[in-house]
């Protein structure tokens, strides 16, 4: 079975500061990993995905994530936070016997302070 | 690209009513569609997976007679909440996935807020 753990249900940063959202996964097979963002009362928007190519993945809105197999991690970063980045972020894993089904983490609420 | 439209975005209805939610992939063919339920401040809970032309596969604990799913074409799936009751009130989100490769991401609709009085 696959699982995802997002460390920190709430993260608060100042505008212009580094954003770091943590995600650790568990998978018995090489995983496919995704980061999604959800704004209030909306669906999820794909930020980026890892599919066994480059370990450093660049996504939309200046976000990137690095796949580290030795640490079973896929942390999301952005060098400089904007007010518009305030949202809920979900890390998800798929692959193996789960097929195309996504297993989501519990989410991290990002607050950006002026 | 990869736009998924979900309709309606908001429904309020009386207990006992049946409610249909549509999920459409606008610019790609969705070989697989997924239906999720999300409670406030929580993650998404997968309810069922449907492949075009096949019966939906429901997750454990999800009543298939309560939540009817139809995936009649490669661009449309519907979720019908039958005889809805207040405990069915929730945020329902669909997603669609094109192609057969396992690394294809799911693309999500904007969700439907369902409130049963």
């Amino acid at each position: 079975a696959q699982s995802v753990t997002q460390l920190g249900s709430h993260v608060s940063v100042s505008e212009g500061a580094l954003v770091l959202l943590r995600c650790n996964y568990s998978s018995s097979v090489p995983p496919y990993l995704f980061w999604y963002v959800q704004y209030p009362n909306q669906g999820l928007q794909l930020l980026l995905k890892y599919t066994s190519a480059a370990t450093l993945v660049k996504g939309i809105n200046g976000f990137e994530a690095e796949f580290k197999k030795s640490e079973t991690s896929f942390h999301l970063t952005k060098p400089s936070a904007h007010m518009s980045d305030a949202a809920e972020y979900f890390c998800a894993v798929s692959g193996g016997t789960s097929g195309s089904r996504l297993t989501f983490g519990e989410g991290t609420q990002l607050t950006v302070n002026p | 690209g990869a736009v998924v439209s979900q309709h309606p975005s908001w429904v309020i209805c009386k207990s006992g009513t049946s409610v249909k939610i549509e999920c459409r992939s606008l610019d790609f063919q969705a070989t697989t569609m997924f239906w999720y339920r999300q409670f406030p401040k929580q993650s998404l809970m997968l309810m069922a997976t449907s492949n075009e032309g096949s019966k939906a596969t429901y997750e454990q604990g999800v009543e298939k007679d309560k939540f009817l799913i139809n995936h009649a074409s490669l661009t449309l799936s519907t979720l019908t909440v039958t005889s809805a009751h207040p405990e069915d009130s929730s945020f329902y989100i669909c997603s669609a996935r094109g192609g057969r490769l396992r690394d294809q991401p799911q693309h999500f609709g904007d969700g439907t807020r369902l409130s049963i009085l």
Side-chain angles (χ1 to χ4, degrees):
Chain A
Q2 298 177 313
S3 66
V4 172
T5 301
Q6 291 183 240
L7 298 175
S9 58
H10 291 85
V11 171
S12 182
V13 301
S14 298
E15 191 174 18
L18 171 71
V19 175
L20 171 59
L21 303 183
R22 300 178 186 274
C23 172
N24 287 88
Y25 69 92
S26 173
S27 177
S28 59
V29 297
Y32 301 122
L33 294 160
F34 307 85
W35 274 100
Y36 286 90
V37 61
Q38 184 179 32
Y39 296 98
N41 296 311
Q42 293 188 24
L44 276 66
Q45 180 182 12
L46 179 67
L47 284 176
L48 48 81
K49 66 176 183 179
Y50 167 76
T51 58
S52 76
T55 57
L56 182 62
V57 182
K58 293 187 183 300
I60 63 171
N61 301 340
F63 285 94
E64 63 181 36
E66 186 172 9
F67 173 72
K68 291 186 177 181
K69 184 178 178 180
S70 61
E71 299 177 8
T72 61
S73 69
F74 190 57
H75 301 331
L76 181 71
T77 60
K78 182 174 180 177
S80 177
H82 292 168
M83 297 296 290
S84 60
D85 294 327
E88 186 86 19
Y89 291 80
F90 291 98
C91 181
V93 62
S94 72
T97 56
S98 299
S100 59
R101 294 174 60 209
L102 285 173
T103 300
F104 286 93
E106 290 302 309
T108 297
Q109 180 68 47
L110 175 66
T111 300
V112 182
N113 302 308
Chain B
V3 177
V4 175
S5 174
Q6 189 172 340
H7 179 80
S9 57
W10 188 42
V11 179
I12 300 177
C13 58
K14 294 181 178 180
S15 183
T17 307
S18 291
V19 178
K20 178 183 282 189
I21 302 170
E22 291 188 350
C23 181
R24 294 181 184 272
S25 56
L26 299 185
D27 53 0
F28 67 102
Q29 293 186 325
T31 50
T32 309
M33 285 185 165
F34 304 82
W35 287 96
Y36 296 85
R37 185 171 179 176
Q38 186 179 32
F39 293 102
K41 306 296 184 184
Q42 294 189 23
S43 189
L44 280 72
M45 181 188 76
L46 180 64
M47 298 175 66
T49 302
S50 72
N51 293 297
E52 184 263 339
S54 303
K55 288 185 177 180
T57 301
Y58 290 81
E59 295 299 303
Q60 192 172 8
V62 177
E63 299 177 59
K64 59 180 66 176
D65 294 331
K66 160 69 90 172
F67 299 100
L68 300 179
I69 292 172
N70 183 278
H71 190 169
S73 77
L74 282 172
T75 59
L76 174 64
S77 176
T78 60
L79 168 67
T80 301
V81 184
T82 61
S83 187
H85 289 95
E87 58 267 27
D88 298 323
S89 298
S90 192
F91 192 54
Y92 292 88
I93 308 175
C94 73
S95 73
R97 180 176 172 275
R100 301 289 180 186
L101 297 178
R102 291 190 171 185
D103 63 348
Q104 291 294 314
Q106 293 181 26
H107 301 282
F108 288 79
D110 279 340
T112 297
R113 176 76 58 192
L114 177 61
S115 297
I116 308 299
L117 304 178

